[in-house]
Amino acid sequence: MQNYTITKYLIWTRRKLMVIGTLALVNSVVFAPVAQAATLKLGSSGANVLTLQSELAHLGYSIGTLDGIYGPKTLAAVDAFQGNDHLKVDGIAGLLTQNALEKMQTPSVPSSSSTEISGIVSETKRLLGTAYLWGGTTPAGFDCSGFTQYVFASQGIELPRISRDQAKIGTAVPYNNLQPGDLVFFSFTGNGTISHVGIYLGNSQFISATTHKGVTIYSFTSYWLNAYIGAQRVL
């Protein structure tokens, strides 16, 4: 009888420990902390900083070159925005500052129909693989601005011949609001001078004519993000 009692007690104890262990496991899953937006500050870099700079520039704050680097100019712009929006002025773009910036972005409404945008995208893809040709403006060979000019002309839209002049028409749009058909501009000179142009396709991709690959689709890798300086909506 005594052995039966001890055995019963041991079984009860083991079941209790199993229940406690299960509850502990459930609690560890249910109450795990939820990840929040990254805090951006002086010295930060990358795509999140580029989005921040683009949003500030869209609201009229001076941030210099859109380079994805949280430098003194970006810090000053964040300070100014925080002061104007009655937030704590500390130059740090935390969750509150990023949410406030996002809410103030006014979506740009395309001035053209979806048919025109579709026509632009279709024409760019039809020309995939066309060779690069300095000064080229036809399917026999394109340079970057010759390619964008030709594609838009196929839809009855006239663009200037040179990329820096193409950047002067249309409406500036922030990086986080890019839409298919937008012109995207890059600088490889280090001083912000426009030296390349392409056409945004969506899903963080654009198409352009480059010296090494001709008309090719590219993703916004760190290489292109570092050179990216802005976009214009012409459609």
Side-chain angles (χ1 to χ4, degrees):
M1 182 69 179
Q2 184 178 8
N3 289 339
Y4 171 78
T5 302
I6 293 173
T7 302
K8 184 176 180 181
Y9 172 77
L10 289 174
I11 293 173
W12 176 85
T13 302
R14 184 172 62 182
R15 287 177 178 174
K16 184 176 181 181
L17 288 173
M18 289 175 64
V19 170
I20 293 173
T22 302
L23 288 174
L25 178 61
V26 170
N27 285 336
S28 68
V29 174
V30 173
F31 297 105
V34 178
Q36 295 183 344
T39 296
L40 306 175
K41 57 186 178 181
L42 192 65
S44 298
S45 62
N48 289 336
V49 176
L50 184 61
T51 296
L52 173 72
Q53 291 175 328
S54 202
E55 290 174 341
L56 288 165
H58 189 234
L59 295 176
Y61 292 93
S62 176
I63 53 90
T65 304
L66 295 174
D67 56 8
I69 300 174
Y70 204 119
K73 288 187 176 180
T74 301
L75 174 66
V78 170
D79 274 340
F81 171 76
Q82 289 173 331
N84 292 334
D85 204 51
H86 307 292
L87 298 169
K88 178 183 178 181
V89 179
D90 57 9
I92 298 174
L95 185 61
L96 289 177
T97 297
Q98 291 182 49
N99 284 345
L101 265 171
E102 185 176 351
K103 289 178 182 178
M104 294 184 69
Q105 302 302 308
T106 303
S108 300
V109 179
S111 58
S112 65
S113 69
S114 59
T115 301
E116 289 175 296
I117 296 174
S118 177
I120 290 289
V121 173
S122 295
E123 184 67 7
T124 65
K125 293 181 177 180
R126 186 183 72 82
L127 296 168
L128 268 173
T130 302
Y132 181 88
L133 177 65
W134 176 260
T137 59
T138 72
F142 291 112
D143 62 16
C144 65
S145 55
F147 172 67
T148 53
Q149 184 187 49
Y150 181 90
V151 170
F152 275 75
S154 73
Q155 304 302 308
I157 302 168
E158 185 177 350
L159 292 183
R161 173 66 185 89
I162 307 300
S163 58
R164 63 175 175 269
D165 292 329
Q166 292 179 3
K168 297 175 183 177
I169 65 172
T171 304
V173 290
Y175 177 79
N176 67 318
N177 196 34
L178 286 173
Q179 295 180 1
D182 290 342
L183 293 173
V184 287
F185 297 92
F186 306 86
S187 174
F188 300 103
T189 62
N191 60 5
T193 301
I194 293 172
S195 51
H196 192 71
V197 61
I199 300 172
Y200 188 67
L201 298 177
N203 297 319
S204 297
Q205 293 184 321
F206 68 96
I207 186 169
S208 67
T210 60
T211 55
H212 297 297
K213 295 185 178 181
V215 177
T216 307
I217 294 175
Y218 294 91
S219 296
F220 270 99
T221 58
S222 57
Y223 171 80
W224 288 104
L225 284 175
N226 288 335
Y228 177 78
I229 57 173
Q232 295 290 120
R233 182 161 299 157
V234 179
L235 296 173

